[in-house]
Amino acid sequence: MKLNLTIISFLTTLSLSITGCGSSGGSSSNDSGYAPIPYDAVPVSESFKTSILSAVNKARSVPQNCGGEIAPAMNPVVWSDALYRAAKEHSDDMAETGILSHDGSGTASDWTAQVMGLEGGSLPDERAAMNGAGRLNGENAAGTYSADVKEVVEGWLGSEGHCQALMSDSTHIGVAVTESSGTDFTHYWTQDFERQK
């Protein structure tokens, strides 16, 4: 099956290298001054969680060629429900609006923007904080015609920025996919990364 994949990547970078920022991992407030109010996300299935963690950690277990630069093998990541809620919020928003972006749409489906009263769309760090996570290491997003975990992870590995995010010094991830109808893609994916101390 041919995978049609469009991917975008947001990385927290400094001097062209991925950096991880310390995280409270669920503090009672965030930089915006708002207390976390978790998105009412559809619970993630154990089979999806196992499948995505297996695919991501298999990729992280060996060095990867990220656009001509070899990223070393990294420790496995573990699941974060807070990052999942942030990712699910964003995947739901992209599926509703048909907009593949790291910025939220600013419409009614951009939950964080609505709660925070933002005039524009929400940003990845705002969604993470609102859902009880710390500062993100990065975010990968994709629009696909497939809900296949292996295919989307391979797609992310085949793109320099996504590969770098996947191979970062993150310790936790949350990944979500939302099926869509009437937009450019049938599935919208979000993968959020955090490094907790």
Side-chain angles (χ1 to χ4, degrees):
M1 171 192 318
K2 182 177 179 186
L3 173 67
N4 291 305
L5 175 71
T6 299
I7 48 185
I8 56 176
S9 181
F10 157 83
L11 294 173
T12 303
T13 60
L14 177 63
S15 302
L16 301 176
S17 64
I18 298 173
T19 60
C21 299
S23 160
S24 61
S27 64
S28 62
S29 67
N30 56 52
D31 292 341
S32 67
Y34 286 84
I37 305 171
Y39 178 64
D40 189 19
V42 173
V44 64
S45 73
E46 287 302 315
S47 63
F48 177 80
K49 188 189 308 185
T50 299
S51 179
I52 194 71
L53 280 172
S54 176
V56 168
N57 285 327
K58 181 178 178 183
R60 288 171 63 89
S61 71
V62 296
Q64 296 289 336
N65 183 341
C66 296
E69 184 175 323
I70 302 300
M74 298 300 287
N75 291 328
V77 289
V78 297
W79 188 262
S80 163
D81 286 334
L83 291 174
Y84 165 72
R85 288 189 303 269
K88 184 63 174 161
E89 174 193 342
H90 192 53
S91 289
D92 288 352
D93 182 34
M94 291 190 295
E96 177 68 26
T97 61
I99 299 170
L100 179 62
S101 174
H102 290 290
D103 295 342
S105 67
T107 67
S109 61
D110 185 356
W111 183 82
T112 292
Q114 300 307 307
V115 170
M116 293 178 69
L118 303 173
E119 291 185 26
S122 63
L123 299 175
D125 276 334
E126 292 168 332
R127 291 188 298 271
M130 190 57 69
N131 283 283
R135 185 177 173 92
L136 294 183
N137 259 10
E139 176 177 273
N140 285 339
T144 72
Y145 295 108
S146 171
D148 186 87
V149 167
K150 183 180 175 188
E151 288 181 354
V152 78
V153 170
E154 287 174 358
W156 281 327
L157 287 171
S159 168
E160 181 178 357
H162 302 87
C163 181
Q164 290 172 349
L166 201 143
M167 298 300 291
S168 70
D169 64 350
S170 301
T171 59
H172 291 72
I173 64 166
V175 183
V177 59
T178 301
E179 191 171 353
S180 177
S181 60
T183 63
D184 290 342
F185 300 102
T186 58
H187 297 84
Y188 287 85
W189 292 80
T190 306
Q191 180 180 47
D192 285 334
F193 300 89
E194 178 185 22
R195 181 172 60 88
Q196 295 183 10
K197 291 186 176 188

